[in-house]
């Protein structure tokens, strides 16, 4: 089909859109085509000029203002063509070899490529390169002049650490790859390039370490990425939803991170990352749920405190998930479980509260989520103020008015604090959503309901996978060797192997004499 | 379908332990009073023999369990026996379900209608079956990982509450030998619930470890039952333990940690739901799988929904009251377990002795 | 797919609608801290001591009692207990009751009126403390007040536990122990008693004696000395308590000794064809105080005092044994011990064990060791 269309197009050239044209030998044709294409693009700079003394050549320079480094364009292209060209022996130059000469001797830039079509010209200038067209040649010369204003490299706000590297990714892909490359100085560390998005033409990087990554998984990722057809890719999540194993689930099968060191650590364990130009969020895959409990910081502090912190975080995760529903279940079904003295206090506090415990919990939890969301969205200056006002005023007033009981406020506040302990945002989201499901289950059947909801959640979790890796690995399927790095933090000197993944090429992390087995 | 040794272990534990924990100590107590633990102690021998028997059948057969029947008994007889196994598995699911629901009704939510609890548990099982075999078996791993340590903790916690060594005295006296035999038989029959593992041992990805896996699971089952019986007698005393419907549970209600945490029985029950879920969905799965194999169906999953109705109705109609339920259950344990889980495997074992050992080609194909 | 979801949603909403009603909100219930049962003319009276729910800002300010005792009556215990609800708007949560009081009239008549309820009802905690009322009904006990504690029923539990640690007279008994004694042959139940004393127009609780059961009936009681003896006779290792011995120097003065731990061994022995119970008590303790100055505490005097203490223990034990044998009630569990050590012998005597028990010769041997004497190592020196 395509072949036939192309043939028809050749016969009738007038119908070909300017974008599909090859670069013509006539500079004027090219200028015309580009002008048509870029009508309305006020930020484009098109400069026709003439260079050479004996051999006068017409040239045409095109780039986007702000994307390309104007000084570099002026110094390395315009200046060298118009001024430095005159310094070299003129007899070497002729109308025929001027293009090659330019490419090899004159344009003093490292990143040079030749182009053949108008479309490529457009793509390159859109990403900040400068294109030089020379009259009489059906090729264009592209110089890498990408340089645009960007956010400085910063510590990511939502992944705060006290120990260890603090650098985070920025929106610029090149800086990000540079940061990664600086940390992994191996030629085996590959970052393959893809362009995605029909309109946005976004650069996408798939990174991995050759020789560790399971090749089948890498192929699978590439294949799934290749099937995506979308007009624009603004963030990695655009891709994540396409390539996930299971799409309709609240359990994220990726890890999103902004931290350079975290990505490096994952890559070293044979995982793959996907990076998108324009977003500091990097997608790491495959990931299993228990690894959401691990904070990157764990590996930068001594393993004993790190293990204790990890246990604490695990407890906090359970509290954040279950505490409100446990409270509701106990208060409305299993009063006997509470020690008598405590129950007497709770009963006294609940006197006159008009709502059943379930409704009370639901109301307060919803309020908490509202406040949390509002705190995120509000302008930074007034955000904290509103959160404090919301928490203090609403909470206090509600208790005073007898709408809610103080124990419930304590429970919800405690749950809130615990939910911030989970290092991964994705796990936090699961907790926030599942908490309400558990609350309803507790309201319906008490502790029995919670347990049933828990079983259903666990079944769902074990039925998931992330690129073939079971989602609950290493808990189910159980792997004792890896469990020691899930609940506790394994000391580095005992970390002989990488976490196991199916098809992994090299699992040995430390080559010691006793532990050479794979 | 490949099963790791640990998964096989979980399957074995899940088939016998959760329900047995609730009923064994009751049977032992009512038959032998304070000597119940002796029967458990002695039962290791028949259980071990039964285990060897199963291992032998697994080693000799080129087929997993329901097809193995046709292999041994001939196509038609094999199919008929296979069909009866479908019924047996469905019955076990239903009766386990009812047994546990009655247990919950007795101790926690006495007001909730039977149908609601049956429905909820069936819903969970249905969800698990629909998620596929891999999810099912992984969830069993979680069940065992959470449940088994928890049960041992509970037992250890219950021990210091009101322990009297003298409750075990005088060892071995006043024991009727027929009751003793019956108790050992019951213990073995309940262990024999792990017979369906004939299917799964076949799928093990490490056939060399089947023996050790079986031994480990028998050890866990036996230790659990021994501790449960022993500690029940130690803390409650033989005569008062005999009164209760679920003595292991009464023992839990007496737990009191630091005069602050008490009445934690509901916690125990909720963890127990995990085990019951596993037990129910396993036998349910077995009935569907057997059905699929016997009738050569392409998938078993679409059978899950209709069979849930059968199991639900059966569970509710199986007995009018708890006394009748206990009676039915005891009959079931003696006759059906004895017949289908001990007698038929023994026949298979005898046939397997006369069969040539498996050709190398099949063995290597199995290993792959 | 859509049908599946619809069915699922329908099912779950159905579930939700029919189970939510089973919830018992804490505002619809009231905490029962103590339970009690009486029997009068074949009618069971069931009393429940309820904790009044008082908002935090009001608690402590009011001087009136923060508990309420309600009593219902009926032909059985369960009926009596539930009949309270005709005048009570909230459901009592029995599982928090840490004390169960058996009325004197009930136990003297027949406990079978209430025992089945106690064993069967899941809301009655089997590790709750059991006491018998003395010179009062269970209802009166539950209506009386106690020092310091807001809820008298909890006070009974604490009193029993604290006195065992410091004073060492009564042996706390739980519902489970009681049921175990009732259902086991060769041992009878003994339960501490609680009575009422009046002070400033108010009734207060105190521990007062131990009720002795024979079968389903209470047939007598142990006084303080006999109760102490009963405590010494508990087989196994125990700790806490104290006792007073007359000073070895003269009979007027007394010396108080604290018991740290004691261990009791009871063994049936055969001597000259005669069955004899050998009781061996080993106790460790401290010197607490003395009256008078005649007895001079010194290293040489210690064995003398220890012999005196052992004699006192033997006396207390013997008084308890005499009382039990007089009542023909084996609360000491010697039948059990017989059964555990010599089954054949036991089987011969099992049918009329209590008669055998009453005539059983005993041999009591006590040892007491003084370990420490607190701050002063000698007796106080008066000088003028």
């Amino acid at each position: 089909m395509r072949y036939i269309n192309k043939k028809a197009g050749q016969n009738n050239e007038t119908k070909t859109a300017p974008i599909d044209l090859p670069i013509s030998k006539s500079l004027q044709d090219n200028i015309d085509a580009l002008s048509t294409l870029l009508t309305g693009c006020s930020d484009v700079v098109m400069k026709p000029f003439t260079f050479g003394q004996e051999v006068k050549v017409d040239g045409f320079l095109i780039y986007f203002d702000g994307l390309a480094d104007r000084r570099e364009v002026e110094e390395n292209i315009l200046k060298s063509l118009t001024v430095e060209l005159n310094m070299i022996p003129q007899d070497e130059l002729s109308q025929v070899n001027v293009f090659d000469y330019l490419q090899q001797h004159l344009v003093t830039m490292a990143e040079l490529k030749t182009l053949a079509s108008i479309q490529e010209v457009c793509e390159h200038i859109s990403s900040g390169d400068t294109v030089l067209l020379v009259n009489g040649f059906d090729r264009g010369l592209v110089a890498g002049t990408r340089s645009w204003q960007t956010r400085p490299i910063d510590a990511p706000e939502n992944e705060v650490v006290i120990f260890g590297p603090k650098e985070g990714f920025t929106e610029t892909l090149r800086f990000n790859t540079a940061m990664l490359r600086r940390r992994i100085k191996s030629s085996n560390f590959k970052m393959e390039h893809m362009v995605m998005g029909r309109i946005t033409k976004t650069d996408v990087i798939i990174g991995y370490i050759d020789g560790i990554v399971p090749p089948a998984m890498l192929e699978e990722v590439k294949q799934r990425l290749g099937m995506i057809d979308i007009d624009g890719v603004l963030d990695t999540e655009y891709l994540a939803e396409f390539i996930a194993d299971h799409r309709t689930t609240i359990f994220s099968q990726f890890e999103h991170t902004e931290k350079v060191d975290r990505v490096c650590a994952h890559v070293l364990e044979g995982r793959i990352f996907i990076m998108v130009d324009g977003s500091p969020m990097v997608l790491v895959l495959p990931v299993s749920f228990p690894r959401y409990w691990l904070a990157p910081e764990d590996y930068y502090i001594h393993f004993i405190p790190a293990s204790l912190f990890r246990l604490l975080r695990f407890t906090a995760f359970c509290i954040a998930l279950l505490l409100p529903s446990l409270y509701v279940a106990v208060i409305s079904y299993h009063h006997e479980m509470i020690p008598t003295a405590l129950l007497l206090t709770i009963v006294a506090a609940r006197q006159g509260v008009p709502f059943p415990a379930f409704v009370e919990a639901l109301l307060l939890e919803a309020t908490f989520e509202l406040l949390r969301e509002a705190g995120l969205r509000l302008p930074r200056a007034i955000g904290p103020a509103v959160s404090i006002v919301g928490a203090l005023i609403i909470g206090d007033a509600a208790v005073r008015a007898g709408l809610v009981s103080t124990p419930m406020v304590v429970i919800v506040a405690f749950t809130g604090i615990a939910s911030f302990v989970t290092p991964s945002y994705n796990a936090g989201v699961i907790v926030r959503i599942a908490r309400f499901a558990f609350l309803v289950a507790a309201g319906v059947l008490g502790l029995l309901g919670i347990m049933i909801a828990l079983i259903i959640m666990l079944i769902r979790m074990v039925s998931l996978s992330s690129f073939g890796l079971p989602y609950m690995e290493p808990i189910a399927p159980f792997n004792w060797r890896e469990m020691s790095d899930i609940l506790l933090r394994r000391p580095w000197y005992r970390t002989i192997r990488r976490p196991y993944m199916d098809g992994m090429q090299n699992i040995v992390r430390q080559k010691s004499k006793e532990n050479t087995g794979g | 379908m490949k099963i790791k040794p640990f998964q096989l272990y979980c399957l074995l534990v899940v088939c016998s332990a959760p329900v047995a924990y609730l009923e064994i100590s009751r049977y032992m107590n009512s038959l032998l009073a304070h000597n119940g633990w002796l029967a458990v102690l002695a039962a290791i021998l028949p259980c071990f023999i039964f285990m060897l028997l199963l291992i032998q059948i697994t080693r000799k057969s080129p087929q997993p369990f329901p097809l193995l029947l046709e292999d041994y008994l001939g196509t038609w007889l094999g199919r008929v026996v296979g069909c009866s196994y479908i019924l047996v598995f469905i019955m076990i699911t239903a009766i386990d379900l009812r047994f546990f629901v009655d247990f919950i009704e007795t101790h926690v939510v006495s007001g909730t209608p039977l149908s609601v609890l049956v429905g909820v548990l069936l819903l969970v099982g249905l969800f698990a079956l629909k998620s596929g075999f891999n999810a099912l078996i992984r969830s069993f791993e979680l069940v065992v990982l959470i449940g088994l340590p928890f049960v041992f903790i509970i037992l250890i916690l219950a021990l210091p509450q009101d322990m009297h060594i003298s409750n075990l005295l005088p060892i071995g006296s006043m024991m009727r030998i027929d009751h003793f035999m019956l108790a050992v038989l019951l213990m073995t029959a309940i262990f024999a619930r792990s017979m369906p593992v004939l299917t799964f041992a076949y799928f093990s990805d490490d056939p060399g470890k089947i023996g050790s896996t079986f031994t480990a699971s028998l050890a866990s089952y036996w230790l659990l039952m021994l501790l449960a019986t022993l500690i029940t007698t130690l803390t409650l005393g033989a005569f008062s333990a005999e009164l209760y419907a679920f003595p292991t549970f009464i023992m839990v209600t007496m737990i009191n940690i630091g005069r602050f945490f008490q009445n934690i029985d509901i916690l125990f029950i909720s963890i127990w739901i995990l085990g019951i879920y596993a037990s129910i969905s396993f036998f349910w799965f077995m009935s569907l799988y057997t059905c699929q194999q016997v009738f050569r169906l392409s998938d078993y999953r679409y059978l899950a929904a209709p069979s849930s109705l059968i199991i639900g109705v059966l569970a509710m109609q199986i007995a009018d009251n708890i006394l009748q339920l206990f009676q039915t259950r005891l009959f079931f344990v003696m006759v059906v377990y004895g017949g289908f889980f001990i007698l038929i495997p023994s026949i298979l074992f005898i046939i397997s002795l006369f069969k040539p050992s498996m050709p190398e080609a099949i063995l290597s194909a199995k290993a792959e | 797919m859509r049908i599946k979801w619809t069915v699922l949603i329908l099912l779950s909403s159905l579930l939700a609608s029919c189970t939510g009603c089973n919830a018992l909100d804490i505002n619809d219930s009231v905490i029962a801290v103590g339970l009690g049962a009486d029997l009068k003319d074949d009618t069971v009276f069931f009393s429940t001591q309820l904790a009044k729910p008082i908002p935090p800002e009001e608690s402590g300010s009011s001087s009136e009692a923060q508990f309420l005792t309600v009593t219902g009556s009926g032909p059985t215990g369960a009926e009596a207990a539930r009949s309270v609800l005709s005048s009570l708007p909230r459901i009592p949560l029995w599982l928090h009751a840490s004390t169960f009081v058996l009325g004197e009239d009930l136990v003297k008549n027949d406990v079978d009126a209430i025992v089945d309820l106690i064993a069967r009802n899941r809301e009655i905690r089997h590790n709750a403390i059991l006491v018998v009322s003395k010179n009062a009904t269970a209802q009166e006990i539950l209506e009386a007040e106690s020092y310091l504690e807001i809820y008298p029923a909890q006070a009974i539990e604490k009193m029993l536990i604290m006195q065992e640690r410091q004073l060492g007279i009564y042996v706390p008994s739980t519902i489970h122990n009681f049921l175990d004694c009732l259902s086991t042959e060769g041992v009878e139940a003994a339960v501490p008693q609680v009575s009422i004393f009046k002070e400033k127009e108010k009734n207060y609780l105190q521990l007062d004696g131990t009720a002795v059961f024979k079968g389903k009936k209470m047939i007598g009681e142990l006084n303080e000395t006999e109760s102490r003896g009963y405590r010494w006779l508990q087989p196994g290792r125990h700790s806490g308590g104290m006792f007073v011995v007359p000073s070895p120097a003269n009979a007027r003065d007394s010396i108080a000794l604290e018991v740290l731990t004691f261990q009791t061994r009871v063994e049936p022995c055969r001597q000259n064809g005669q069955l004899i119970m050998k009781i061996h008590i080993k106790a460790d303790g401290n010197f607490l105080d003395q009256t008078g100055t005649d007895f001079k505490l010194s290293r040489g005097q210690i064995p003398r005092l220890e012999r005196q203490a052992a004699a006192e223990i033997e006396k207390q034990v013997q008084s308890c044994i005499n009382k039990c044998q007089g009542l023909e009630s084996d609360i000491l569990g010697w039948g059990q011990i017989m059964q555990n050590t010599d089954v054949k012998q036991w089987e011969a005597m099992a049918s009329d064990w209590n008669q055998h028990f009453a005539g059983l010769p005993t041999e009591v041997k006590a040892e007491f060791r003084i370990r420490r004497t607190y701050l002063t190592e000698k007796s106080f020196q008066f000088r003028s």
Side-chain angles (χ1 to χ4, degrees), chain B residues 160-181:
Chain B
Q161 301 302 326
D162 201 4
M163 186 179 79
H164 295 289
I165 298 282
S166 61
N167 281 339
L168 291 182
L169 296 173
I171 295 174
S173 71
M174 298 189 300
M175 190 161 68
R176 284 177 53 184
I177 199 76
D178 53 337
H179 280 184
F180 183 77
M181 298 307 283

Side-chain angles (χ1 to χ4, degrees), chain C residues 75-187:
Chain C
T76 77
E79 166 73 20
R82 292 200 182 185
S83 70
V84 167
L85 287 173
S86 60
S87 58
L88 189 74
R90 293 184 178 206
I91 296 175
L93 301 174
W94 284 359
L95 268 162
H96 282 279
S98 54
T99 309
F100 198 103
V101 185
L102 290 174
E104 195 178 16
D105 37 3
L106 172 74
V107 289
K108 282 191 171 155
N109 193 321
D110 201 339
V111 285
D112 65 5
I114 199 78
V115 161
D116 195 59
L117 175 74
I118 295 176
R120 196 183 297 281
N121 196 304
R122 78 168 195 96
E123 299 218 347
I124 293 177
R125 246 163 55 186
H126 283 202
N127 52 2
I129 291 282
L130 191 77
V131 290
V132 170
S133 67
K134 183 177 179 183
N135 302 331
T137 60
Q139 185 184 353
E140 284 162 359
I141 294 287
L142 289 173
E143 279 166 353
E145 291 186 42
S146 73
Y147 292 130
L148 291 175
E149 284 296 320
I150 301 172
Y151 307 112
Q154 290 181 342
I156 296 176
E157 185 197 6
K158 285 188 185 171
M159 266 150 44
L160 271 168
I161 291 167
M162 297 305 164
Q163 68 80 23
E164 185 172 32
R165 202 184 288 171
Q166 293 275 315
L167 193 57
I169 303 175
Y170 304 105
V171 181
S173 165
T174 62
I175 289 185
H176 165 69
N177 297 145
F178 183 64
L179 295 181
D180 198 26
C181 290
L182 289 185
S183 63
T184 308
E185 55 182 355
V187 59

Side-chain angles (χ1 to χ4, degrees), chain A residues 333-334 336-337 339-340 342 445 447-448 451-452 455-456 458-460 462-464 470 472 475-478, chain B residues 4 6-7 104 108 117 120 124 127-128 131 135 138-139 141-142 145 260 262-263 266-267 270 273-274 277:
Chain A
Y333 288 90
H334 317 293
E336 68 272 13
M337 247 179 83
T340 312
L342 184 59
L445 262 181
L447 212 52
L448 234 62
M451 220 50 213
I452 299 239
I455 295 175
I456 289 181
L458 289 178
I459 295 172
R460 182 64 183 143
V462 293
S463 69
L464 293 177
M472 284 304 273
I475 301 176
F478 185 69
Chain B
K4 292 183 176 181
F6 183 71
Q7 292 179 323
I104 305 181
V108 205
L117 292 174
V120 165
V124 176
F127 184 64
S131 303
R138 280 179 205 154
S139 69
E141 280 182 78
L142 289 176
L145 284 174
F260 189 71
Q262 45 193 18
N263 296 321
I266 176 67
L267 215 63
S270 14
I273 296 177
L274 279 175
Y277 142 74

Side-chain angles (χ1 to χ4, degrees), chain A residues 272-392:
Chain A
I272 301 167
F273 71 85
I274 297 173
M275 205 187 255
V276 164
D277 190 21
S279 167
M281 277 298 177
V282 175
L283 215 58
V284 181
L285 60 96
V287 65
S288 64
F289 184 79
R291 294 190 202 281
Y292 282 140
W293 292 322
L294 318 188
E297 212 177 31
D298 289 351
Y299 294 97
Y300 306 143
I301 53 181
H302 191 265
F303 68 90
I304 294 173
S307 300
L308 294 175
F309 294 156
R310 200 170 267 186
L311 284 177
L312 185 73
R313 270 202 303 275
F314 177 71
T315 321
F317 178 84
C318 296
I319 289 174
L321 189 67
L322 292 175
L323 187 64
S325 45
L326 275 179
Y327 178 75
V328 168
V330 165
I331 284 295
S332 18
Y333 288 90
H334 317 293
H335 319 90
E336 68 272 13
M337 247 179 83
I338 319 175
T340 312
L342 184 59
L343 183 65
L344 285 165
T345 315
I346 294 175
V347 166
R350 270 192 62 81
Q351 279 308 303
V353 174
F355 305 111
F358 168 60
V359 178
E360 196 187 357
L362 211 59
L363 277 180
L364 271 182
E365 280 294 334
T367 316
F368 180 77
E369 289 297 323
L370 262 178
L371 280 174
R372 183 173 172 162
E373 198 61 17
L376 283 180
R377 304 279 163 251
L378 281 165
R380 192 158 300 177
I382 56 169
V386 169
S387 312
I388 291 167
V389 166
L392 285 185

